[in-house]
Amino acid sequence: MEAKDRVYQALCRMAKSDCQITAAALAEELNLSRQVVSHYLNRLLEEGCVEKTLTRPVCWNIRKQQRENVQGSVSEERKEIEEVLPEVRREDVFDAMIGADGSQKNVIERCKAAVSYPPDGLPILITGESGVGKSFLARLIHQYAISRAVIRESAPLVVLNCADYANNPELLSAALLGYKKGSFTGADTDKEGLLQEADGGYLFLDEVHRLSYENQEKLFVFMDTGRYRPLGDKNWKAAKVRFIFATTEVPEKVLLETFRRRITVQISIGSIAERPLMERLQLIYRFYQKEAVKINKDILIEKDAMQYLCFSKLPGNIGKLENLVQVSCAEAYFRQQEKELLKISSRELQNESPDKDDSLEEIVCPMKVLCSQECESAYEACVTEHTVNVSTLWEEVVKASWDEIDMLYLRYKHQMKTWEKYVTVSSLVFENTAKKMFESSCRLVLKRYGIRVTDQCLKELYLSYKMFSQMELDAEMEWKLSVYFEQALSRAHYIAKRLFEKVASLEQGCGKHVLFLFTLALHEYVAECVELAGLIAAHGDTTASSIAKVVNQACETFVFEAIDVPMDSSFDATIEKVKSYLEDIPGGRGLILLVDTGSLSRMYTLIKNSLSGDLMIINNVSTAIALDIGIKMLGHSSFTEITQSTKKLCSFDVQFFEGLSQGKNIVISCMSGVGIAEKIQEMMKSVFGDCGLDFITMDYKELIRALDENDEKSFEQTLLILTTSSLSEGVKTPWLSMYDVLDGSGEQVLWDSLKTVINPERFEVLKREFVKFFSMEGIVSRLQFLNPAVVVQEVELILMRYEQYYTLEMSGYVRLNLYMHIAFMFERLMIAQDDYEEEQRELSEQEQEFYRISRIVFSEAEKKYRIRLDEYELSMLYELFKSLIK
């Protein structure tokens, strides 16, 4: 049987007992996803087999079938919910809460779990600011419990605001437990407490932090035993009560630990500012439509009012929003009651001024609310069982090489067409308003970077955002995708990140799937051939941004990024902003920086270590200069050509980056000698190929001396220093012990240093070559003339003696390092032509003892191989053992 037929038959069965059938209820009946069921219901609707209501949520039934009346009385709490959500079905009561399938999904799932857990559910503590909807959620929990038949239909929901009794804990105790006649002054009759009143149902204690510690103790005794004793009564009474608590405070600060332990489930509701933009628009629309129905007039919410309602941090959250809506409608009705369309501006919001944010002004659009009593149906993305999961695309991406990006882009375009088939084009006002605001945000960002996108691209961007904003991405896959796109589509990925940041500022918790889909969507519109990066840093609110935008739009692609520096900003603050940009710089060959003030020598000294490529700083900012440089960058002019051209054209200062070599380099230094470093150099050259990277070998002592003398200028273009031992913490140039690569702890440092010059495939080859090089077999194969079997036994005996004297237990990589060092030391000393110059320095007591023990340990080897360990070799051995013998 086809899935569509299964859905139709299930609808026929359920229609016999319930006329309000939601997609969620059908999904539960058929054990299918709600999206799949919604898809087939819409197909059945097109075929004229079913009909649906215009309610929230959408309810379905067989066409022309007589609906049955819902039996039973409805509680006052249920009526209040149904004012917000007409004809709500009991199983779907949580759909009354905006965000039930979005930002509040996890909250609702935990509430459902707490309600359903046998035998009597679990206590729930709801935290959140005032006005976020804690009381409303408590009523929904009560109604959900009734709908699941875990409590009876007439089970009560008793509400107590503890703040009402904050100054009289004894009166609160009497209200909770009840009391006997004469138990205190004024107790003229026996009185049952709220615990008895809530028997069989729920007791909701709002502002529970106002409950005294004594009353908290009485309450958790009841929660443990189900028994309590009214004031003045010697007899214990029993009741079965489910609890919901709410507080605006931090529970750990206001509730006893013993009391908190009894509350199994704790959930938090975020403020309205933390809600996604779509949900904020739904709230605004819902509240205005409620008022529009009352006064029977359509309402237009103008831009300034929309900006305030959408993006201000309202102190009372949803409660404050509803009050503002009511007041604004009252003000508008008073002034405009003769007009058919009421207009709401900031004037009607009691002269509330929108939070000033220029970046929002251009994206906000007005929203029209109709007075029709028919609620608009909720937006549903309809996805079939056969929709290809986006993870399939990601698997193809991480397996692809750089030159396959065009094929991946075509794959993405094809996938977009597939997804587009299953997304319903919504007619909802708030949905269309959100779409317009999203597209306006995109245009602002893309215009800044000179990207002229088509309507189709905007549609793809919105589709990516709409379908995957709530989907989480595996951390490992996220890292792999970041690595790939930072190299294969570095400039498109950079713009996608800026676009993602803009969208995320509107839509809290936007998933990273969206970021990578944005990158693919923008691939067609960004010139990845621009190899150099450009940056303009100038004082003023928009000086740098305006110049960069002009250049980018003239070049019709991303050439310059901009940093607008406040007039009162310090020089150091500007440097920090530049460094922050360098962490995310697209293009790895170099940076051209235009600044409007400051000492160039000091500037490049402060930022040069944050950059792996060349750097040119020009102490002048103008549109003409930036445009000239931008055109040359777009025309693939080399860094040298741009430098020479700029010197001829400009009469101002230009400062250049200086370093150990003309290009980027890696320094390799091995304590076992330059010979081993040269072998590592050969291995790395074979892996990297012709990538323009210099591999420089240095004697270990020379390296230490250069670093100790703070000769940073020598390492300005150095991407990484590779050693076989640790360097001091004060070394600013990135460095890494080769053995950290072997045990995995240094893999991330190695990648961060080399990702601009090597792709992920070559990086994996490099790691394998390291393991092979530093294996025992690798060491043995590199001994030139000594017998490997004899040397290995000799070294093993030496290490055993050190272990016995110092009571050591060496790890595998430490032992391997010592094997390599000592074996190659024997050969080096046997063929050495010149003696090292002895250093005259004072040794510590620990060093003196180590030298003495080493003379004894190596005495037999010195005689056998006719060598002598001088002060230099002993100092190298001490560096290797130092961390072990402390």
Side-chain angles (χ1 to χ4, degrees), residues 393-504:
L393 178 62
W394 297 150
E395 289 171 3
E396 293 183 21
V397 168
V398 297
K399 292 177 182 177
S401 59
W402 292 358
D403 56 2
E404 294 177 308
I405 190 64
D406 288 331
M407 292 300 296
L408 287 171
Y409 178 66
L410 292 176
R411 173 76 172 80
Y412 160 78
K413 297 285 283 188
H414 173 74
Q415 189 67 70
M416 272 293 165
K417 291 180 180 178
T418 304
W419 289 330
E420 188 174 349
K421 294 178 183 178
Y422 303 117
V423 176
T424 304
V425 178
S426 175
S427 61
L428 300 184
V429 173
F430 55 80
E431 168 76 18
N432 290 328
T433 302
K435 185 173 183 290
K436 289 178 183 178
M437 294 173 74
F438 173 86
E439 291 179 347
S440 297
S441 299
C442 290
R443 287 192 180 94
L444 279 178
V445 174
L446 299 177
K447 187 176 180 182
R448 172 188 175 98
Y449 295 104
I451 310 302
R452 296 182 179 180
V453 297
T454 62
D455 291 340
Q456 178 62 26
C457 181
L458 288 173
K459 184 178 181 180
E460 291 173 358
L461 290 171
Y462 184 71
L463 185 58
S464 302
Y465 153 76
K466 183 62 186 174
M467 287 193 67
F468 300 103
S469 62
Q470 299 299 321
M471 283 183 61
E472 296 182 359
L473 184 62
D474 177 76
E476 182 179 359
M477 180 61 75
E478 180 182 333
W479 180 78
K480 289 180 179 178
L481 290 171
S482 295
V483 168
Y484 183 86
F485 286 126
E486 283 172 3
Q487 297 189 54
L489 296 175
S490 62
R491 305 184 82 81
H493 191 52
Y494 180 87
I495 299 173
K497 282 192 274 190
R498 306 291 82 78
L499 185 57
F500 181 79
E501 289 168 0
K502 184 70 173 178
V503 171

Side-chain angles (χ1 to χ4, degrees), residues 504-733:
S505 68
L506 304 177
E507 198 77 46
Q508 299 292 329
C510 196
K512 285 298 180 69
H513 283 286
V514 176
L515 167 61
F516 300 118
L517 288 169
F518 280 179
T519 302
L520 286 173
L522 295 174
H523 162 59
E524 181 181 351
Y525 305 92
V526 181
E528 294 290 345
C529 59
V530 181
E531 297 178 334
L532 300 177
L535 177 63
I536 301 173
H539 288 79
D541 293 337
T542 60
T543 304
S545 294
S546 298
I547 295 175
K549 185 189 291 185
V550 169
V551 176
N552 290 336
Q553 290 179 355
C555 295
E556 296 187 351
T557 192
F558 170 36
V559 178
F560 275 104
E561 180 59 284
I563 298 177
D564 294 310
V565 184
M567 296 303 296
D568 57 351
S569 181
S570 66
F571 179 79
D572 291 338
T574 303
I575 294 298
E576 289 305 313
K577 289 185 177 182
V578 173
K579 285 183 176 180
S580 177
Y581 168 72
L582 295 180
E583 293 177 0
D584 202 21
I585 183 173
R589 288 189 54 192
L591 170 70
I592 298 176
L593 172 60
L594 277 64
V595 296
D596 62 349
T597 186
S599 167
L600 292 188
S601 59
R602 184 185 174 200
M603 182 173 288
Y604 94 83
T605 298
L606 292 173
I607 68 174
K608 60 187 178 182
N609 289 330
S610 301
L611 184 70
S612 58
D614 297 322
L615 172 67
M616 178 172 71
I617 304 180
I618 299 176
N619 194 6
N620 195 301
V621 174
S622 72
T623 303
I625 294 170
L627 186 58
D628 180 73
I629 293 175
I631 292 173
K632 288 183 171 64
M633 291 167 64
L634 190 61
H636 310 294
S637 296
S638 67
F639 194 91
T640 303
E641 290 171 342
I642 295 175
T643 300
Q644 292 173 350
S645 172
T646 304
K647 277 187 170 181
K648 292 177 182 179
L649 292 175
C650 306
S651 58
F652 39 80
D653 294 335
V654 178
Q655 185 81 39
F656 301 97
F657 197 87
E658 301 174 1
L660 188 66
S661 65
Q662 292 184 352
K664 292 175 286 188
N665 62 78
I666 294 176
V667 174
I668 307 168
S669 184
C670 181
M671 292 182 69
S672 301
V674 175
I676 299 302
E678 289 173 349
K679 293 182 185 300
I680 297 172
Q681 177 192 50
E682 293 173 4
M683 179 268 289
M684 296 188 72
K685 280 184 176 180
S686 67
V687 174
F688 279 73
D690 185 17
C691 65
L693 190 66
D694 294 329
F695 297 89
I696 302 169
T697 60
M698 292 184 68
D699 177 80
Y700 186 78
K701 284 287 185 181
E702 179 186 345
L703 172 66
I704 296 300
R705 186 180 297 111
L707 294 172
D708 288 343
E709 292 173 358
N710 200 26
D711 188 13
E712 297 177 5
K713 189 175 181 180
S714 299
F715 302 97
E716 288 174 344
Q717 295 245 49
T718 300
L719 298 182
L720 183 68
I721 299 174
L722 273 173
T723 74
T724 52
S725 60
S726 299
L727 300 178
S728 65
E729 295 182 357
V731 177
K732 296 181 179 179
T733 304

